[in-house]
Amino acid sequence: MTLTHLFFDIGGVLGTNGWDREQRAAAAKHFELDMTELEELHGETIAMLEQGRMTLDEYLQSTVFYQPRSFGPADLKAYMLGQSAPFPETIDLARALARTGRYRLMTINNESDELNRHRLERFGLRDIFLAFFSSCWVGVLKPGRRIYELALAISQAEPAASVFIDDRDRNLEPARSLGMRTIRFTDAPRLRHELAALGVHP
């Protein structure tokens, strides 16, 4: 079957992760926070944040600013946003694929609303992708099966004609179970090669 839909993860594929353990550790060191405590409070609230049931301000109030700090929420938010960096080679590949007109490019990703909007703008993704199935907007998270079902249904994509690209195996398995092709991302040259093996060319 000819492949028509290409679904990309964002963090770890099109750019750095937004607020993963590495970014939290850097923030904890920079602002002299207790990392163990931050991780515990983060674990209690992250699902609500990424499902759009809590704002970023509410998340920061619960995890950091429940007590007085020598810095403010605006300082921490600026630091969080500043850690996001694009992967130009992967983005260039996605842009080239979109320009062919043969494929519909969309994303499936876990992200909070404010961070997601920043990264779409920062990485220049709105000019490449037709839709963004972000957890904060659809209300469900990877690797839950429902987010893939929604992406397929809303985009009217046949699973067998679709490819999902993610850097984590646990996020790929549900897509495979629905009949989608999957690629585990490691770097842009390998992604180009694996897409070509599926008949997908810029």
Side-chain angles (χ1 to χ4, degrees), residues 16-198:
T16 57
N17 287 315
W19 188 235
D20 212 337
R21 185 177 177 84
E22 180 183 352
Q23 288 76 34
R24 296 193 301 275
K29 181 177 180 180
H30 181 80
F31 290 103
E32 299 182 342
L33 298 172
D34 182 329
M35 182 62 177
T36 300
E37 182 181 62
L38 176 60
E39 286 299 283
E40 180 180 348
L41 297 174
H42 168 83
E44 294 173 358
T45 54
I46 187 59
M48 289 189 291
L49 176 68
E50 292 190 340
Q51 290 178 75
R53 296 187 289 121
M54 172 182 275
T55 67
L56 183 56
D57 285 334
E58 290 171 330
Y59 166 84
L60 292 177
Q61 182 64 37
S62 296
T63 56
V64 177
F65 297 101
Y66 60 88
Q67 64 176 337
R69 301 290 185 182
S70 61
F71 55 95
D75 301 310
L76 182 49
K77 279 202 282 189
Y79 188 88
M80 291 173 69
L81 298 179
Q83 292 191 85
S84 290
F87 293 165
E89 195 172 356
T90 314
I91 292 173
D92 287 346
L93 173 58
R95 182 176 289 109
L97 290 166
R99 283 176 176 165
T100 68
R102 297 191 298 269
Y103 314 105
R104 294 174 180 267
L105 274 68
M106 305 180 190
T107 70
I108 301 176
N109 66 299
N110 291 347
E111 199 90 88
S112 64
D113 179 78
E114 191 169 339
L115 193 55
N116 196 52
R117 292 177 187 276
H118 169 77
R119 286 152 65 78
L120 299 189
E121 179 69 26
R122 173 79 175 84
F123 299 171
L125 302 185
R126 293 193 184 99
D127 297 332
I128 301 171
F129 295 89
L130 298 174
F132 302 94
F133 297 101
S134 302
S135 61
C136 58
W137 297 331
V138 297
V140 285
L141 294 161
K142 296 182 302 183
R145 184 184 176 99
R146 184 58 178 158
I147 194 169
Y148 307 91
E149 292 174 334
L150 286 171
L152 290 168
I154 295 171
S155 64
Q156 286 297 285
E158 290 291 332
S162 305
V163 181
F164 177 53
I165 302 153
D166 197 287
D167 61 317
R168 299 181 181 182
D169 285 326
R170 69 189 183 97
N171 292 333
L172 296 172
E173 192 282 326
R176 283 194 295 268
S177 74
L178 290 169
M180 300 173 73
R181 310 287 186 91
T182 61
I183 295 175
R184 184 176 182 277
F185 179 84
T186 54
D187 55 60
R190 182 175 173 183
L191 174 59
R192 184 184 293 271
H193 175 76
E194 294 192 44
L195 285 170
L198 296 175

